[in-house]
Amino acid sequence: MLEILLKNLKEAIEADKQKESLGLTPAEKVKEMLKSGNAIFVDVRPPNKVVGKTAPEAGIPNSYYLPVTEFADRCQEVFPQDKNAVIILGCAKIKFSNRVMGYLEALGYKNVYVLDEEIEKFIENFQ
């Protein structure tokens, strides 16, 4: 099990090196990725950090709400089986998104990105 975890992490680190800013992605790029229909967006804020609407409630396309605190129990509901799927994570201060990015990479996902701004601002400006 440890060997698989280390292999996944090494592969994820190599994949991250190929991404601009190691996967920390500006809002405009995230919008493009979502509008192309080739990515999912996951709002990972814990319930007590949600101000206003969650991403799905706000109408962000291909979005889900999965609080970081429920990741282990519900990740199979949200994340595709395809480990090459493009996944973008958002939260209030980036901290929880980075944590979930690490979880996903440990599980073998290769194309995980983090929104480089507070999700409330992203939701407010999404068009």
Side-chain angles (χ1 to χ4, degrees), residues 85-98:
V86 177
I87 300 167
I88 307 161
L89 306 168
C91 70
K93 303 274 186 212
I94 301 174
K95 176 175 85 171
F96 297 117
S97 294
N98 280 332

Side-chain angles (χ1 to χ4, degrees), residues 19 23 25 29-30 32-42 61-64 78-89 104 109-114:
K19 299 173 193 170
T25 308
K29 177 72 174 169
V30 170
E32 289 173 22
M33 294 166 81
L34 290 172
K35 288 181 178 180
S36 75
N38 297 324
I40 65 167
F41 184 84
V42 184
N62 301 318
S63 67
Y64 300 88
V78 173
F79 299 106
Q81 290 185 349
D82 178 4
K83 302 294 185 181
N84 291 307
V86 177
I87 300 167
I88 307 161
L89 306 168
L104 290 170
Y109 288 89
K110 309 282 187 291
N111 291 306
V112 184
Y113 298 85
V114 170

Side-chain angles (χ1 to χ4, degrees), residues 26-28 30-31 34-35 41-45 49-66 88-92 115-127:
E28 287 305 315
V30 170
K31 287 178 192 176
L34 290 172
K35 288 181 178 180
F41 184 84
V42 184
D43 180 344
V44 298
R45 294 174 289 173
K49 298 292 184 185
V50 175
V51 175
K53 296 179 178 181
T54 65
E57 291 170 343
I60 303 298
N62 301 318
S63 67
Y64 300 88
Y65 176 59
L66 175 63
I88 307 161
L89 306 168
C91 70
L115 172 66
D116 188 15
E117 75 176 20
E118 293 181 2
I119 194 170
E120 292 88 358
K121 182 177 177 185
F122 179 74
I123 287 171
E124 180 180 310
N125 296 321
F126 191 87
Q127 300 175 37

Side-chain angles (χ1 to χ4, degrees), residues 64-80:
Y64 300 88
Y65 176 59
L66 175 63
V68 64
T69 53
E70 298 175 18
F71 180 86
D73 295 327
R74 296 188 43 225
C75 66
Q76 292 180 326
E77 294 173 23
V78 173
F79 299 106

Side-chain angles (χ1 to χ4, degrees), residues 1-10 103 105-108:
M1 173 101 145
L2 181 59
E3 293 83 22
I4 293 170
L5 177 63
L6 290 174
K7 177 185 171 287
N8 288 346
L9 291 175
K10 286 178 184 180
Y103 297 161
E105 290 176 338
L107 292 172

